[in-house]
Amino acid sequence: SLNKARYQWLAAVYAVLLSNAAGASDGVERRVTFGGFGTLAALHHDTAGVEYRRSINQSEGARAGELSFSTDTRAGVQLNAAWSPQWEAVVQAVTRLDADGSWQPQLTRAFGRYTRDESLELRAGRLGWEIFPRADSRDIGYSQLTIRPPPEVFGVVASESFDGAELALTRALDDALIAVQLYGGRAVHPFVAEDRHPIDIEAIVWGGHLDYLRGPWILRLGTGVFELDAVRSLEPLLAGLRASGEPQAQALADDLDSRERRTLFFVAGATYDAGPLQARLFLGRTEHSGASSINAHTGQLTGGYDLGQVTPYASLAFVDSYDHVRPTGLPDSPAYAPLNAGAAAVQAATQFNQTGVALGLRWDFRPKRALKFQIDRVWVEDSRLILDYRSPPGGNAALTLFGVALDFVF
């Protein structure tokens, strides 16, 4: 059933609490296991001049009047090798539409895991980045209630993995559990703008979150830091702004300088899962003093009610950039037009103003198989989650999306 699948997923995420703890306590030696997952999906909308994407790292989106099979379709395989109850290795590869427009498989997980007991777990290698609850399983459609995780939350942060280490500590507190997770490493953030040119932005990431688990509730508080590397393509623009002699342009260049970039994020959320009802509430905020990074609020509210094989669900999600495009202060003349246009484009690339509402039905017609039907209504305003080819681009738009997906695991 769907409830069973959800609890199995939670067991995997909190392996130190359940799965690995059980393996360590009973002394049963595990072995090599192989599994996989996939989603076959189609998406349609009729809003001309707009391509809908589920993430900023997709090279193309669903076009008006056409069926898109690439937006939500993906497949993956995973190999687990455990030579003792304490030591395990995991390798996972996924194929999906990437920033280069190809479907070349990508290595999304490759790590070793040490579990001392039910209170400590250490992982190192290529890890899933769970900046948001369930973010590390966003490609596994079967583990998600909706066809796709809300792009307004999950699509803004393109990277879902990082190379580094993670420490999880768990303690019992009366009839509850307290779980602390600390992580750090290096990640690559692929980004595709309207010209379809992919840009890989590398960053050092570190942070942690605190979970409180009691009965059907999971509460989370988290924080972290992105420390972005310099983007060489910005250097000519920065040099031009600084050489203009205009104080406002020079100040903007300092803010755009990625070598000084540090973005903070804060997250809070709650999950309720009991009987046939499940609900999730998440809120987040990113903060950066500069002008070329994301300053936004984001959030989602998702719920479903399991009627047996059928689960109707609904979701509301939003992302709102609260830092607007700043002018250079330079005259609007032919001599300064390239600088003005370049500065505006760089800042506009991090503008995300979008709200989505989804209604859907999940049908678990067979074990490990689920068919989903979903209707979305999406309102955008200068959102880089979409690809905008209207003339002129920008401004408000509304899309009605019709989607169907077949999810499976094996």
Side-chain angles (χ1 to χ4, degrees), residues 188-204:
V188 176
H189 301 267
F191 175 81
V192 181
E194 276 80 359
D195 60 1
R196 302 188 191 275
H197 178 67
I199 300 175
D200 287 337
I201 302 176
E202 296 188 12
I204 295 174

Side-chain angles (χ1 to χ4, degrees), residues 29-32 81-90 111-113:
E29 185 175 353
R30 295 168 289 179
R31 59 179 186 271
V32 175
W83 51 94
S84 77
Q86 290 77 37
W87 291 95
E88 182 181 25
V90 178
F111 62 85
R113 173 163 49 201

Side-chain angles (χ1 to χ4, degrees), residues 5-352:
R6 291 199 300 267
Y7 283 118
Q8 288 174 340
W9 182 90
L10 286 173
V13 174
Y14 294 100
V16 66
L17 308 179
L18 302 174
S19 300
N20 285 344
S25 63
D26 61 21
V28 176
E29 185 175 353
R30 295 168 289 179
R31 59 179 186 271
V32 175
T33 58
F34 176 82
F37 55 89
T39 297
L40 300 175
L43 185 64
H44 180 273
H45 75 88
D46 281 328
T47 302
V50 171
E51 293 185 20
Y52 178 84
R53 299 188 294 178
R54 64 182 277 163
S55 174
I56 59 174
N57 65 0
Q58 288 189 319
S59 59
E60 62 183 54
R63 300 180 181 180
E66 300 179 8
L67 273 179
S68 171
F69 296 97
S70 59
T71 303
D72 297 309
T73 296
R74 55 208 55 224
V77 293
Q78 181 171 302
L79 181 70
N80 293 59
W83 51 94
S84 77
Q86 290 77 37
W87 291 95
E88 182 181 25
V90 178
V91 177
Q92 177 181 286
V94 176
T95 180
R96 63 200 172 198
L97 179 65
D98 62 19
D100 295 317
S102 73
W103 290 78
Q104 183 175 349
Q106 303 172 30
L107 188 66
T108 58
R109 304 288 185 276
F111 62 85
R113 173 163 49 201
Y114 169 75
T115 304
R116 188 185 67 184
D117 52 32
E118 63 272 15
S119 65
L120 182 146
E121 182 181 84
L122 177 64
R123 302 193 301 168
R126 177 156 296 179
L127 305 170
W129 191 12
E130 200 183 0
I131 179 176
F132 309 131
R134 298 197 181 184
D136 67 339
S137 64
R138 70 179 77 176
D139 281 322
I140 307 176
Y142 187 80
S143 71
Q144 305 285 339
L145 184 60
T146 55
I147 286 182
R148 72 196 69 86
E152 294 79 11
V153 175
F154 294 85
V156 175
V157 180
S159 177
E160 67 165 87
S161 61
F162 68 97
D163 297 331
E166 181 181 87
L167 174 66
L169 302 172
T170 305
R171 293 292 184 271
L173 182 64
D174 297 329
D175 58 347
L177 290 172
I178 300 293
V180 177
Q181 188 179 71
L182 304 174
Y183 61 85
R186 193 167 188 84
V188 176
H189 301 267
F191 175 81
V192 181
E194 276 80 359
D195 60 1
R196 302 188 191 275
H197 178 67
I199 300 175
D200 287 337
I201 302 176
E202 296 188 12
I204 295 174
V205 298
W206 53 272
H209 57 255
L210 171 69
D211 290 338
Y212 176 81
L213 300 85
R214 181 173 183 176
W217 288 96
I218 302 177
L219 307 179
R220 166 170 294 188
L221 291 174
T223 186
V225 174
F226 309 86
E227 295 185 2
L228 302 184
D229 290 349
V231 181
R232 294 181 180 178
S233 60
L234 292 183
E235 292 177 357
L237 172 64
L238 301 180
L241 292 174
R242 287 170 174 150
S244 68
E246 167 60 47
Q248 188 172 331
Q250 293 171 338
L252 180 58
D254 291 339
D255 285 344
L256 290 173
D257 193 341
S258 58
R259 288 170 296 186
E260 302 172 0
R261 233 188 298 178
R262 173 177 288 190
T263 300
L264 306 177
F265 67 85
F266 307 91
V267 298
T271 298
Y272 179 85
D273 197 335
L277 177 64
Q278 65 164 309
R280 299 179 61 217
L281 172 65
F282 169 82
L283 297 172
R285 175 183 173 92
T286 60
E287 292 185 356
H288 174 49
S289 59
S292 61
S293 190
I294 301 172
N295 289 294
H297 300 108
T298 186
Q300 74 168 109
L301 175 61
T302 302
Y305 195 87
D306 190 351
L307 300 175
Q309 286 188 314
V310 176
T311 304
Y313 60 83
S315 179
L316 167 67
F318 70 91
V319 58
D320 176 35
S321 294
Y322 57 84
D323 191 16
H324 302 293
V325 176
R326 292 162 46 187
T328 64
L330 297 172
D332 189 16
S333 63
Y336 291 113
L339 288 178
N340 289 330
V346 169
Q347 297 177 80
T350 58
Q351 292 293 306
F352 298 97

